[in-house]
Amino acid sequence: MAMSREALSEVAAIAAASPQVTLRLETLDGATVLIGDHGTGAMCIDGFRRLMAAWVDGCEPHVARVDFPGARYHAGMLAVPGLRYFVTHLSAEHTARCLRERTRWPDEAHAIVREDLLLDISVVQVMSSELDEDALEDAAREAQAACVVEELCREVEAA
C-alpha cells in the first residue's frame, strides 16, 4: 500500500529539521531511493521537500515505506539518541503555546518548534541530555498527543 502525500510531506519536514539524516524510500515495485547529502543521495532533502510541496493533486506517490538508517521512525516520530522529532499541523506559535500549557512536562526536557512554511507543517524537536531514552520518548509522545488534541479541537471549532 502506498503512503499518502500528507505522510510523505511530514517525513520530508522531519528529515529537513534533523541534522545529518539520510532517508530511504522504498517504492511499491521494490526500488530504493536515497535522499540525503548531495554526495550520497539521489536527491537532497531540500529537493524532496520542494517536490512534496509542488505535488500535483490526483497523483499518488508510489512509496511503500520510509526508513531513516541509523534512527528509528515509528508512529510519526523520528528517534535518535537524546532527540525526538514529530510534526504538527499547528503553526509554530500555536504549537509553542500548546507545549507551554502542558503541566506534566519534565524539567529536564526541552522543545524547539520550527515552522516549515513551504510544507505548512511545524516540526517539534524534543531533547534532553539528562533523561534516559524511555523518559524522553514518553515526554515526546505526550507532547505529540497534546498537539494532535489541539489540532482536533481547532478543526471542530472551524466546522
Side-chain angles (χ1 to χ4, degrees):
M1 183 158 145
M3 293 181 67
S4 69
R5 174 186 175 194
E6 181 178 352
L8 285 173
S9 293
E10 292 173 359
V11 166
I14 288 174
S18 312
Q20 306 299 320
V21 298
T22 300
L23 174 61
R24 184 180 1 207
L25 306 177
E26 293 182 17
T27 66
L28 293 174
D29 61 3
T32 300
V33 179
L34 287 177
I35 298 174
D37 293 333
H38 287 286
T40 59
M43 177 184 295
C44 69
I45 291 173
D46 190 53
F48 181 53
R49 277 180 62 246
R50 292 180 186 283
L51 174 69
M52 295 314 305
W55 199 270
V56 176
D57 286 337
C59 294
E60 292 300 316
H62 292 274
V63 176
R65 178 176 116 74
V66 299
D67 179 45
F68 288 88
R72 181 176 48 88
Y73 183 70
H74 177 71
M77 186 171 295
L78 179 66
V80 296
L83 299 168
R84 300 294 183 273
Y85 298 88
F86 67 89
V87 299
T88 178
H89 294 274
L90 301 171
S91 69
E93 179 183 345
H94 289 120
T95 302
R97 184 178 309 126
C98 177
L99 296 176
R100 276 194 301 271
E101 292 172 355
R102 302 200 57 253
T103 58
R104 293 182 37 170
W105 187 259
D107 290 339
E108 304 86 2
H110 308 283
I112 296 172
V113 180
R114 294 180 179 100
E115 193 162 6
D116 188 324
L117 296 174
L118 183 64
L119 295 172
D120 196 26
I121 294 174
S122 293
V123 179
V124 179
Q125 176 185 12
V126 179
M127 68 192 99
S128 178
S129 60
E130 300 169 27
L131 294 176
D132 65 25
E133 291 298 311
D134 290 337
L136 179 61
E137 183 80 13
D138 289 345
R141 288 289 177 195
E142 287 181 20
Q144 183 184 36
C147 289
V148 168
V149 168
E150 185 64 22
E151 286 178 29
L152 292 172
C153 289
R154 290 182 179 276
E155 285 179 20
V156 168
E157 286 176 9

